[in-house]
Amino acid sequence: METAQMDVEVHHSHAYLLDEDDDCYPDGMLDDSPTHPVGIIRVEKGIAFLITGLHTGTVNFTVVVADQDPGADLEGYEDIVEISFESPSGYISLYESGGAGVHGIPSLSAGPGTYRFRYHARGMDAAHNESFPDAVVDHYLLQIWPTSHRDPVVLKSTSSCFRYWLSAG
């Protein structure tokens, strides 16, 4: 298991992951899964939008890349969702909104293929009500491991911000 921690500047309440084989930035927000919406993470092949509570400022991300399911942190986070992701190259990076900054992610453990993303969020409601806070308010944990494709699922949802994004489709 490899872990990377980083502070990420967000604008318009998101950051995104981009596969090394994808040479262009997304031109807009991706749609949520129409049959199994999860609200705060949206994926297409090689691209994933990670939605945050804070509109503009710094959030904290921890990314864990594992060989198998590391287990959800149900006690430490308010909202937790899972979704499958296809990586053509096996290498992804975390981009700040608009591509202003790039953060390296540990290499995906099984190379190119299908992975599961489990996105944990804490402090979305508090951050949503802040404008340029002095300290980091919201925290995110993204766990990544290889597995076959499965439908998206909501494991835990408690925040108003999460419910907003779930209904925003």
Side-chain angles (χ1 to χ4, degrees):
M1 190 163 29
E2 292 188 61
T3 302
Q5 291 189 314
M6 60 208 74
D7 287 336
V8 176
E9 293 296 317
V10 297
H11 302 280
H12 305 288
S13 300
H14 75 277
Y16 60 95
L17 294 167
L18 192 61
D19 191 90
E20 185 179 272
D21 278 358
D22 199 327
D23 59 357
C24 64
Y25 297 113
D27 59 359
M29 181 68 71
L30 303 176
D31 291 331
D32 201 355
S33 173
T35 55
H36 302 281
V38 293
I40 59 174
I41 185 169
R42 289 123 187 263
V43 301
E44 288 182 2
K45 184 177 182 180
I47 301 172
F49 269 84
L50 306 168
I51 296 172
T52 65
L54 188 65
H55 182 275
T56 303
T58 304
V59 300
N60 179 261
F61 270 94
T62 300
V63 180
V64 174
V65 177
D67 292 333
Q68 59 189 1
D69 183 349
D73 184 352
L74 295 170
E75 298 302 316
Y77 290 86
E78 298 160 347
D79 303 300
I80 306 170
V81 299
E82 290 183 7
I83 197 163
S84 293
F85 177 81
E86 183 71 28
S87 174
S89 72
Y91 299 97
I92 57 175
S93 295
L94 179 63
Y95 286 77
E96 296 178 352
S97 304
V102 180
H103 302 271
I105 301 293
S107 298
L108 300 182
S109 57
T114 303
Y115 289 83
R116 192 71 170 174
F117 284 1
R118 183 179 294 130
Y119 188 45
H120 300 67
R122 179 178 63 237
M124 288 184 83
D125 284 346
H128 181 72
N129 295 321
E130 290 284 335
S131 296
F132 300 100
D134 292 333
V136 173
V137 177
D138 44 347
H139 302 270
Y140 301 90
L141 168 62
L142 178 65
Q143 297 170 320
I144 304 170
W145 69 95
T147 191
S148 59
H149 179 82
R150 291 181 287 159
D151 288 336
V153 63
V154 175
L155 298 178
K156 184 177 181 182
S157 65
T158 63
S159 73
S160 296
C161 196
F162 175 84
R163 286 190 297 279
Y164 166 80
W165 284 105
L166 191 61
S167 67

